[in-house]
Amino acid sequence: MLALKVIGKIVLGFFALCTLILIIRLLSLTGIPEILWFVFLALWLIGLAALESIWLWRKKNLFPRLLTHLRYAPFFVFLFSILAVTAFDQGMILYSKHQIRQYVYGNLSTEEKPDFKLHNDYRGWCGNGYPAREYGLYNEVAAEGFESSDAQVRVRSLQASIEVYDWMNGVYDGAFPSLIKRAQNDADPLVRKIAEEFREQRCGNKNCL
């Protein structure tokens, strides 16, 4: 029975340790030196090991509340962090889409190019994952104004689409090349001009779109 308790404590401690290390990695983004977080981790481990040992061998819980915090706080902090980050990401993505629509359907001059600071929730390791994710999040929102009968809205929609375009990944889904081809045949000369200038800048004499 004692052996099972020891194994259970080791498993719980290992899981909490991994969770705490991940939290430290995230907190290192705050600019506080990482060494300070690992000093905190070392103190946490020493405290947890000491109190667990006393509880197992002497059957005496000297600081029950402290031991509970040391056992379970990393997991619940991690869970709270995941929920908070997910909610923050979704809120910022909605706000970024609002920025795009505000530009496309607003009354800004067509000569004013978009300057978006769009939120991206990509946290992987792929080199081109960040622009691919941004394109996936915002290309449809940027392009939806191209269905408008207002030429100025179409101009701004085209410029917004070019702004969020990911040249490495976007060409494969066919949506952006199709938009450029439509723009090249648009009734408005400014829309055609922007599309041609972008195609020449991107492709030169090649038919890459």
Side-chain angles (χ1 to χ4, degrees):
M1 196 67 182
L2 179 61
L4 290 177
K5 287 184 178 180
V6 171
I7 294 172
K9 298 301 180 185
I10 292 174
V11 172
L12 178 61
F14 177 76
F15 179 75
L17 172 63
C18 293
T19 305
L20 195 59
I21 290 175
L22 181 57
I23 293 171
I24 287 172
R25 290 294 184 185
L26 294 174
L27 290 175
S28 65
L29 300 176
T30 61
I32 298 175
E34 196 172 85
I35 185 63
L36 295 180
W37 295 114
F38 281 101
V39 168
F40 170 75
L41 172 62
L43 294 174
W44 175 83
L45 282 174
I46 293 171
L48 178 62
L51 292 177
E52 289 285 14
S53 298
I54 293 171
W55 184 85
L56 281 170
W57 301 109
R58 294 190 177 181
K59 304 299 182 182
K60 187 176 182 181
N61 196 344
L62 297 179
F63 303 100
R65 289 190 178 183
L66 177 59
L67 183 57
T68 300
H69 289 314
L70 291 174
R71 283 175 177 170
Y72 304 111
F75 172 75
F76 285 103
V77 170
F78 177 71
L79 182 62
F80 174 79
S81 300
I82 291 295
L83 294 175
V85 169
T86 301
F88 175 77
D89 281 341
Q90 294 306 309
M92 290 302 296
I93 288 170
L94 289 175
Y95 177 69
S96 295
K97 290 181 178 181
H98 169 73
Q99 282 184 296
I100 295 174
R101 291 191 176 101
Q102 194 173 39
Y103 168 79
V104 171
Y105 297 103
N107 55 3
L108 293 174
S109 169
T110 53
E111 296 180 358
E112 187 167 344
K113 298 295 179 63
D115 184 23
F116 302 129
K117 292 182 179 179
L118 304 176
H119 182 74
N120 196 317
D121 61 352
Y122 180 76
R123 295 180 178 87
W125 303 103
C126 180
N128 63 338
Y130 192 90
R133 178 57 176 162
E134 185 169 289
Y135 176 76
L137 285 170
Y138 303 116
N139 71 307
E140 292 184 2
V141 178
E144 66 185 21
F146 204 76
E147 305 299 327
S148 173
S149 59
D150 188 333
Q152 291 190 342
V153 172
R154 295 200 304 277
V155 168
R156 290 191 291 268
S157 178
L158 178 60
Q159 292 184 143
S161 297
I162 290 173
E163 181 72 14
V164 303
Y165 173 62
D166 172 27
W167 67 271
M168 189 174 293
N169 300 285
V171 69
Y172 296 115
D173 71 356
F176 185 80
S178 175
L179 179 67
I180 292 296
K181 289 178 181 177
R182 288 178 59 193
Q184 287 177 295
N185 297 303
D186 195 85
D188 186 77
L190 182 55
V191 174
R192 296 197 301 270
K193 178 183 176 183
I194 294 172
E196 285 293 340
E197 287 178 349
F198 174 80
R199 184 188 173 281
E200 290 176 5
Q201 180 184 15
R202 177 59 61 192
C203 305
N205 296 324
K206 300 178 182 178
N207 186 24
C208 66
L209 287 173

